Amino acid sequence: MMAFTDGKALIDKLADSRELSREEWAGLISGRSPELSEYLFERARDVRIRFYGHDIYIRGLIEFTNYCRNDCYYCGIRKSNANAVRYRLTKDDILSCCENGYRLGFRTFVLQGGEDGWFTDERMCDIISEIRSCWHDCAITLSVGERPYESYRLFYQAGADRYLLRHETFDAEHYGMLHPPSLSAAHRQECLWNLKEIGYQTGTGFMVGSPRQTAQNLADDMLFLKKLNPHMVGIGPFIPHHDTPFADQPSGTLELTLFMLGLIRLMLPKVLLPATTALGTIADGGRERGILAGANVIMPNLSPETVRGNYLLYDNKLCTGDEAAEGCRGLSERMNAIGYRIVVSRGDSLNHDKTEKRTGGRKNV
Ligand code: 5AD
């Protein structure tokens, strides 16, 4: 464990907008203590409140397909999981999720799915433009994995505003331990740079406590986040899924996930930072603890109840009760109880330069 004063000095340095070296990051992460975490969370909350007050933005998550051509070792909807019950929502299904969500106060819809070839660029653009024309005041976020530059550009032109693509882990060797050889850290990162260039509000992120992850790996993740400077960062604990090669691996911890959330808030003060479903899954009150460590976004599930139980990336994923959009009131009450409030808003990134928008992805504009 690191001496409290040494850890505190590093946290103060971060809060001062100064950069940490790889060694400093790794030392801070591996040397953390409960006392140091408390200090970090207080500073992270101050920064969060300075920029976002006590507001919490909500995003309606529509998990529209669980078909996936990839075979990531950690993921329950990987191609080789023959036990997964596969489904695809129709365009009409998706539109009624949006309608329902709008009524509940959502102003961001997140279309998330596996890498499903059925959803060609043409089908995606059709769905995106339909949502765009029905709900002018809503943000459309996509989370459909790696696609060519041109596809990303077409989706943006069709009306998508934001894109979520976690880098999962920066280090190529560690990436190789979590993914089959057909996938690479370099390609994943290239996609992220492309998304930013096109003009998306871009979100990335990683799993905490994924198999064989080291403090050095997390240090590299922090350095990558600093460089990419994304608008959003989604992190959550790794949780094993029983039908994957990582079935017997231990989960990431609440404690380390919260520590990483606090660090991210201090390093990127204006970032949109969700308290994720995975965080709520590993511990009761996990998402509230996430908010108190600096998070400011929650992503309840808007998918139809009939399919919700099939989008299982990991075991015991929350998909009923408060997690579901219907439980929004319950969620609202829980957030009020810790002094925060869910707001009806698109909840755009404070970092996003509006003049950058809608350039069609041309370079040098
Ligand atoms: N545990 C935690 N998170 C997971 N994800 C996928 N599988 C798991 C798991 N077993 C995360 C990945 C992916 C996001 C959609 O869900 O980080 O990017």
Side-chain angles (χ1 to χ4, degrees):
M1 205 182 283
M2 169 177 255
F4 178 72
T5 47
D6 295 342
K8 183 173 173 291
L10 289 174
I11 288 171
D12 291 344
K13 189 170 168 183
L14 252 189
D16 232 22
S17 317
R18 284 182 293 154
E19 294 191 16
L20 303 194
S21 69
R22 185 168 187 257
E23 291 65 40
E24 286 175 322
W25 276 120
L28 180 57
I29 293 164
S30 58
R32 70 193 183 280
S33 61
E35 193 189 10
L36 194 60
S37 299
E38 273 319 307
Y39 180 73
L40 169 65
F41 300 155
E42 262 172 48
R43 305 243 20 188
R45 278 198 299 271
D46 282 352
V47 168
R48 183 254 201 253
I49 291 164
R50 175 161 5 120
F51 291 107
Y52 291 102
H54 290 80
D55 291 355
I56 294 177
Y57 299 136
I58 49 171
R59 321 295 196 197
L61 192 59
I62 304 170
E63 296 160 336
F64 69 101
T65 172
N66 71 351
Y67 283 86
C68 190
R69 66 185 164 107
N70 292 330
D71 223 6
C72 308
Y73 304 149
Y74 47 83
C75 185
I77 63 168
R78 65 200 301 267
K79 177 175 63 183
S80 341
N81 181 8
N83 293 330
V85 179
R86 306 287 171 173
Y87 72 89
R88 277 183 193 111
L89 299 187
T90 64
K91 180 178 165 187
D92 283 348
D93 292 335
I94 296 172
L95 292 171
S96 36
C97 291
C98 297
E99 203 172 304
N100 186 28
Y102 193 89
R103 215 171 6 86
L104 289 162
F106 288 88
R107 295 297 177 268
T108 293
F109 304 123
V110 182
L111 300 186
Q112 183 168 87
E115 292 194 14
D116 179 359
W118 194 88
F119 287 97
T120 56
D121 289 355
E122 206 181 338
R123 288 188 170 127
M124 285 304 298
C125 286
D126 178 45
I127 295 167
I128 295 163
S129 49
E130 185 81 23
I131 299 177
R132 175 50 62 238
S133 66
C134 292
W135 293 282
H136 300 274
D137 55 338
C138 291
I140 302 172
T141 304
L142 301 179
S143 177
V144 292
E146 298 183 10
R147 297 248 182 167
Y149 190 98
E150 184 56 16
S151 308
Y152 287 156
R153 207 182 55 78
L154 289 171
F155 299 164
Y156 188 80
Q157 275 182 337
D161 308 277
R162 308 183 187 144
Y163 204 103
L164 307 179
L165 182 69
R166 291 186 178 179
H167 68 277
E168 311 295 359
T169 182
F170 175 80
D171 180 74
E173 204 179 313
H174 186 228
Y175 196 93
M177 296 174 194
L178 305 180
H179 301 92
S182 54
L183 298 172
S184 74
H187 190 257
R188 181 56 65 103
Q189 290 157 29
E190 188 188 317
C191 286
L192 284 160
W193 291 109
N194 288 344
L195 290 162
K196 274 203 88 174
E197 184 179 280
I198 291 167
Y200 283 99
Q201 292 182 44
T202 304
T204 194
F206 52 89
M207 287 178 290
V208 177
S210 57
R212 304 186 59 185
Q213 184 181 62
T214 63
Q216 298 281 342
N217 292 147
L218 288 169
D220 288 336
D221 290 327
M222 295 304 287
L223 292 171
F224 175 65
L225 291 183
K226 185 74 189 173
K227 195 160 154 210
L228 182 68
N229 191 24
H231 304 91
M232 298 163 275
V233 177
I235 67 163
F238 160 75
I239 302 174
H241 183 289
H242 61 278
D243 281 325
T244 63
F246 289 160
D248 298 324
Q249 297 289 322
S251 293
T253 63
L254 173 73
E255 179 269 320
L256 179 54
T257 308
L258 295 174
F259 195 76
M260 297 310 298
L261 282 172
L263 292 178
I264 293 168
R265 169 60 65 208
L266 275 194
M267 181 177 76
L268 304 172
K270 295 181 181 172
V271 83
L272 293 160
L273 192 61
T276 54
T277 307
L279 189 61
T281 299
I282 48 160
D284 279 342
R287 276 180 303 191
E288 288 90 327
R289 304 270 301 269
I291 297 294
L292 293 169
N296 65 332
V297 173
I298 295 189
M299 302 171 71
N301 200 317
L302 272 183
S303 311
E305 249 164 296
T306 46
V307 302
R308 239 178 244 171
N310 295 328
Y311 200 84
L312 297 178
L313 307 183
Y314 45 82
D315 289 340
N316 308 314
K317 181 170 168 248
L318 292 183
C319 61
T320 52
D322 270 8
E323 165 50 30
E326 291 74 13
C328 255
R329 195 172 309 140
L331 201 57
S332 237
E333 282 164 9
R334 288 166 62 169
M335 295 304 142
N336 292 343
I338 56 166
Y340 291 78
R341 63 172 176 269
I342 289 179
V343 295
V344 175
S345 159
R346 272 175 55 117
D348 281 298
S349 162
L350 297 176
N351 268 339
H352 195 60
D353 176 1
K354 299 278 187 314
T355 61
E356 260 175 41
K357 286 182 97 177
R358 305 277 158 228
T359 55
R362 275 170 293 130
K363 296 186 186 184
N364 310 317
V365 281

